[in-house]
Amino acid sequence: MYFGVFDHLDRGDLPLKDYYEARLTLIEAYDREGFYAYHVAEHHSTPLGMAPSPSVFLAAVAQRTRRLRFGPMVYALPLYHPLRLIEEICMLDQISGGRLDIGFGRGSSPIELAVYGQDPEKAQRIYAEGLDLILQGLTRKTLEFTGEFFTFEDVPMELEPLQKPHPPLWYGVHSTESAERAARGRLNIVSLDPAAPTRTFTDRFREVWREIHADGEAALPKIGLGRFVVVADDDGTALRIAHRAYAIWHRSFTHLFRLRGSAPRHPRPPDFDGVMASGQGIAGSPDTVQAFLQSQLDTAGANYLVGQFAFGDISLDEALRSVDLFSEKVMPALG
């Protein structure tokens, strides 16, 4: 069992200068406590995401950590020029000593794509073409490509990633079809959905993996399950923190959709009681959190737990205490 962190970098109540420093201090704690990786979301024109340029923030993470792997979950490919993104990936992998993991997607919010002048109806095609192009650019000395959206002829690739053939790849899954695509592409996956439907994704992922990869279960990628996690010395304290902070996070999550009169593609419960009822988060003492997460992991068939420890107005002290208790008492029991 491996343990990672997912972070929207949603806006809290601190000035941005102080907010970034607090988050980097927390990420140093993830590094000290032995977490495997830190995954940051990309969002635009919304308080849900204060890292609209994941590469910029992750460059700072690279300098503040020593062992922790990190990466975007995910780069929204319709918003990037592929050559620029290839160069950023190579730089991050080199300056971190080969600790970069990379996730790619079409972008979770059509509103955010439209703000950038992109047609959301083309997002899936741009994503597929961009992914193919980027993987070629990471593994070749010269880029030749002709597609629907991009054409390159004899472009020198002066930068290269430290990890060969390229950094590990990640994908967020919400269906058996996406799980199947990820297995065929040898991608690590993460699901944020409830445990029972996630099990249909993970079962299909394993089934396809065994069909087409001779190394079988021994080389199975990370199959992740993402959950909100708040740990405190007792259930009451943890629940008070989670209820307060989640209300702020949810306002940020729905901000653009309320402005534009639409709804998220993947909605979340409106309060933390609903989050716990759906199995998408837990707040409690170490024993409460451990029992809940063990059940979730068993049901989902996951081998990688991705905790969202900082959200809403959770203070640095509250988050550090939560992470300390989790690493000291929950991780050993689950591991």
Side-chain angles (χ1 to χ4, degrees), residues 67-310:
R67 297 175 298 174
L68 185 73
R69 300 189 64 83
F70 56 81
M73 186 67 79
V74 294
Y75 283 127
L77 289 189
L79 305 184
Y80 288 87
H81 190 285
L83 285 183
R84 181 61 177 262
L85 190 52
I86 290 168
E87 293 169 339
E88 290 184 10
I89 288 168
C90 291
M91 290 179 66
L92 279 171
D93 201 36
Q94 293 285 349
I95 67 175
S96 68
R99 291 187 286 130
L100 180 66
D101 286 25
I102 43 178
F104 300 109
R106 65 181 181 179
S108 63
S109 169
I111 298 173
E112 294 176 39
L113 297 181
V115 164
Y116 265 66
Q118 293 291 338
D119 181 357
E121 296 300 318
K122 297 179 180 178
Q124 181 61 37
R125 304 204 310 277
I126 296 173
Y127 157 76
E129 183 173 309
L131 178 58
D132 185 22
L133 198 164
I134 289 167
L135 293 181
Q136 290 187 38
L138 292 173
T139 55
R140 300 179 183 180
K141 293 295 186 182
T142 303
L143 184 60
E144 297 274 354
F145 189 91
T146 301
E148 179 184 358
F149 302 101
F150 303 102
T151 298
F152 299 102
E153 182 178 350
D154 196 29
V155 178
M157 295 287 99
E158 290 296 329
L159 292 172
E160 62 183 11
L162 183 60
Q163 300 175 89
K164 304 300 182 187
H166 50 68
L169 303 179
W170 290 80
Y171 192 66
V173 295
H174 289 284
S175 67
T176 53
E177 292 78 13
S178 60
E180 180 176 333
R181 288 195 300 272
R184 295 188 183 281
R186 302 184 75 96
L187 309 182
N188 301 281
I189 61 172
V190 174
S191 169
L192 304 179
D193 292 344
T198 293
R199 186 55 180 256
T200 66
F201 313 157
T202 63
D203 282 349
R204 183 56 181 156
F205 184 92
R206 283 185 165 90
E207 181 182 0
V208 173
W209 181 269
R210 295 187 187 110
E211 288 173 359
I212 62 178
H213 301 302
D215 44 16
E217 189 83 16
L220 197 69
K222 288 177 177 58
I223 300 175
L225 184 70
R227 293 294 181 257
F228 288 95
V229 178
V230 177
V231 193
D233 294 292
D234 58 81
D235 288 354
T237 300
L239 285 167
R240 284 193 293 274
I241 294 170
H243 279 112
R244 184 198 77 221
Y246 182 82
I248 295 171
W249 177 88
H250 196 266
R251 285 200 297 273
S252 294
F253 178 70
T254 58
H255 174 77
L256 278 180
F257 302 98
R258 286 184 282 109
L259 284 181
R260 299 299 176 92
S262 58
R265 182 180 290 139
H266 304 292
R268 299 293 186 89
D271 54 46
F272 203 77
D273 288 338
V275 170
M276 291 194 297
S278 70
Q280 292 170 288
I282 183 62
S285 68
D287 287 344
T288 297
V289 171
Q290 185 272 328
F292 171 87
L293 292 177
Q294 186 68 69
S295 174
Q296 287 286 302
L297 290 165
D298 291 344
T299 300
N303 61 17
Y304 181 50
L305 178 69
V306 185
Q308 190 165 350
F309 295 93

